[in-house]
Amino acid sequence: MVSCTKCGNPNVIIKRKASGQALCKDCFIEGIEKKVIQTIKKEKFLEKGDKVLVALSGGKDSVVTLEILNTYRERRIIDLCAVTIDEGIAGYRHEGVEIAKAHAERLGIPHKVVSFKESFGIDLDEIMAHENHRGSCTYCGVFRRWIINRAAREFGASKIATGHNLDDETQAILMNYLEGNTENLAKIGPKTESNSELFTVKIKPLREIPEKEIGLYALAKGLDIHLAGCPYAQESFRMEISNILKELSKDHPTIMYSTLRGFDKIRPAIKEEFQSSFTFKNCERCGEPSSNRLCRACTFLEELGH
Ligand code: SF4
Ligand code: ZN
């Protein structure tokens, strides 16, 4: 019978193919937290006195991000706040918002819920009723970034933490590489910074943790998470890439780690060569930073006649 590689406990909850390790619940939880703390140190994500805004959807990634960053808050190294975005997706978003609220309340973290409707006068369900829409996820991504960036300034946050995990990062690397999108490739990394003061630095503390293990960590810690899938989620190129990576990982369990490690090594060269360096001005409509007359959010809103 397999027992925990670290402490010998016979109640093993995970066997890692990549390292051959078997771990019991306590050693697994400790291992994940250690790894995240290592990433935070290595990437210099946090400085004493930082106020970090967590983009908290209520899903496993953001809940675990909040939970682990809260250990820094408890030690009075950083301050935390959270924002949850209500896109206006009937039958789906409400539960996530309630779960997010409950976590923020449990930990005593200042939290606000901001809707597409109050920010843009239109919600995602209404957008999807338009004849010539661009696909749900395109609006979601752009509008969410707009809200999170503004919320960070309103909270006076010095960093924004997102729940991007190892799977998300390797999918992005492979996708953009296969599409030859060097400009997007140059944007991938542990931290996203910009030359506009109106943008807040974004950090990804879970970047080196596989998605599956984040789910298991949430389960092991008994954290309530929003599990439902978005009704608009459609077959996308990203999903195809995700399936390829999952399939490959079966026989090559370290493939995602090596993809990320290799990319991180060549990242400085990619950035140097391909990073676009436009200067930001303020969007004429909303005042948010933009490389054009109108930011992407306002361009979409004008298209929708809003
Ligand atoms: Fe938005 Fe749903 Fe697409 Fe996610 S899957 S980006 S929630 S529309
Ligand atoms: Zn704008």
Side-chain angles (χ1 to χ4, degrees), residues 87 89 92 124 136-137 140 144 230 232-233:
E87 303 92 347
I89 305 174
Y92 164 69
L124 197 62
S136 54
C137 306
C140 243
R144 263 195 219 144
C230 171
Y232 292 126

Side-chain angles (χ1 to χ4, degrees), residues 146 283-290 293-299:
W146 189 99
C283 168
E284 279 180 13
R285 219 178 105 138
C286 72
E288 289 298 311
S290 168
R293 188 178 71 80
L294 288 183
C295 71
R296 291 253 286 161
C298 290
T299 308

Side-chain angles (χ1 to χ4, degrees), residues 123-137:
D123 65 26
L124 197 62
D125 284 341
E126 289 165 339
I127 293 174
M128 293 308 283
H130 269 254
E131 256 176 42
N132 295 318
H133 64 71
R134 292 170 173 257
S136 54
C137 306

Side-chain angles (χ1 to χ4, degrees), residues 164-190 192 204 207 237-242 245 256 259-260 263 270:
H164 287 89
N165 57 45
L166 179 66
D167 299 50
D168 297 325
E169 285 289 90
T170 46
Q171 285 159 17
I173 293 165
L174 204 58
M175 246 171 78
N176 287 302
Y177 182 73
L178 294 179
E179 287 179 323
N181 193 337
T182 47
E183 197 181 311
N184 274 0
L185 213 50
K187 285 186 198 154
I188 299 171
T192 34
K204 303 171 181 167
R207 186 175 186 257
F237 186 51
R238 182 182 273 271
M239 222 177 261
E240 287 178 59
I241 295 289
S242 160
L245 281 166
M256 287 200 255
T259 304
L260 187 72
F263 177 77
I270 295 178

